[in-house]
Amino acid sequence: MPTPKRLPFRQRLLDYLLQVSLIIVGLVIATSVDRCNGARKDDRRLQAYYAAIIQDLEAERVSNVMNLADVNKDLADLEAAIRLFGLTDPDSLQSGLQRMNGVLNKGVFRTFSPTTFDVMVNTGDVNLVEDIELRALLASVFAFRNNVLRPDLQAYDRQVLATVESLSDRIDPACITTMRSAYTCIHDPKAIARSGVPELVVLATVARSRRFHLQVAQEEVLAAVERVGEAIAGG
């Protein structure tokens, strides 16, 4: 049997380079496909996050509306009580007590459950939001919620309790807790009319601060809703 001739070195080198090139091209194609599949998965996950964030923002907007209504009513009652307690007639003092009781007996309900953005931060998925401005806006909205609105609510509740305690030497505490508005609830009506109730002024100041922060929060929430909506439409 004749021995087959070996291909020239140049031909063998070209064949080898061709094989290597085909392998490299195959790897590049496979990597590109894998990256495309990963990018699609990331995009789907981000869109799901955006949908959940919109729900969180809507819940936040509704809570802010309700809390703004509460604090506005509290301020109206406090301002009326401060004015009425400055008068001397029994009817005014009784009306002032009634308006004051409307504030001191009304609790404020608000939850601060973890949000979708909190989950994204904890899992590292926040990096899926490549729009740095949008990421910063969402971080600001939810940080303000946790670091300002929650302490505001706690501070307001503490001030309400402190006001009730401070008034106990001039107004029968039972009249406050039972929502009674009888003139006899006030131990020294003339002293109340003469000096007013400075505790209500302090509580009104805390309420105004809380209202301002709620207004700021609401503006940021509405801006975030608009930006996330744009991101969903663009995605």
Side-chain angles (χ1 to χ4, degrees):
M1 294 290 295
T3 303
K5 294 182 179 180
R6 295 186 63 186
L7 294 173
F9 174 78
R10 179 183 178 82
Q11 185 62 45
R12 294 201 307 273
L13 179 60
L14 290 175
D15 290 344
Y16 172 76
L17 292 176
L18 178 60
Q19 292 176 18
V20 171
S21 299
L22 290 174
I23 292 172
I24 293 174
V25 170
L27 289 173
V28 170
I29 292 174
T31 301
S32 298
V33 170
D34 187 59
R35 285 180 178 174
C36 288
N37 289 335
R40 283 195 291 269
K41 289 179 181 178
D42 286 346
D43 185 64
R44 286 195 295 270
R45 190 157 80 252
L46 180 59
Q47 291 299 313
Y49 274 134
Y50 280 154
I53 287 173
I54 284 288
Q55 292 181 347
D56 289 345
L57 291 170
E58 177 59 19
E60 190 70 12
R61 184 192 67 78
V62 171
S63 292
N64 288 342
V65 168
M66 294 174 63
N67 278 264
L68 277 168
D70 281 338
V71 77
N72 281 329
K73 185 178 185 308
D74 284 351
L75 279 169
D77 284 338
L78 287 169
E79 289 166 358
I82 291 168
R83 176 177 54 80
L84 290 166
F85 279 132
L87 304 176
T88 57
D89 61 286
D91 288 341
S92 294
L93 293 176
Q94 183 169 324
S95 296
L97 185 62
Q98 186 173 16
R99 297 296 291 268
M100 180 191 73
N101 286 356
V103 176
L104 300 184
N105 281 277
K106 180 177 65 64
V108 180
F109 179 74
R110 176 71 207 271
T111 60
F112 291 90
S113 303
T115 66
T116 302
F117 190 78
D118 294 327
V119 173
M120 294 177 71
V121 170
N122 292 332
T123 60
D125 282 347
V126 69
N127 294 321
L128 293 173
V129 183
E130 296 181 356
D131 186 334
I132 301 301
E133 290 185 1
L134 175 56
R135 191 193 305 179
L137 176 58
L138 292 173
S140 173
V141 167
F142 293 110
F144 197 85
R145 168 187 187 268
N146 294 325
N147 300 331
V148 177
L149 296 187
R150 180 169 11 200
D152 265 2
L153 186 58
Q154 295 169 344
Y156 186 74
D157 286 341
R158 286 194 299 269
Q159 191 60 46
V160 167
L161 294 176
T163 301
V164 173
E165 182 179 1
S166 179
L167 291 175
S168 62
D169 63 336
R170 283 160 287 162
I171 300 174
D172 184 353
C175 293
I176 299 175
T177 56
T178 59
M179 287 292 287
R180 288 169 56 197
S181 57
Y183 177 73
T184 55
C185 290
I186 299 176
H187 300 324
D188 190 347
K190 291 183 179 180
I192 287 286
R194 185 169 56 251
S195 62
V197 185
E199 292 87 352
L200 297 187
V201 176
V202 175
L203 184 58
T205 301
V206 176
R208 289 190 189 94
S209 174
R210 182 165 170 253
R211 179 174 63 181
F212 171 72
H213 288 152
L214 282 167
Q215 290 169 339
V216 171
Q218 192 71 324
E219 290 176 1
E220 286 203 341
V221 165
L222 295 176
V225 168
E226 182 178 353
R227 289 295 306 277
V228 174
E230 293 172 354
I232 292 175

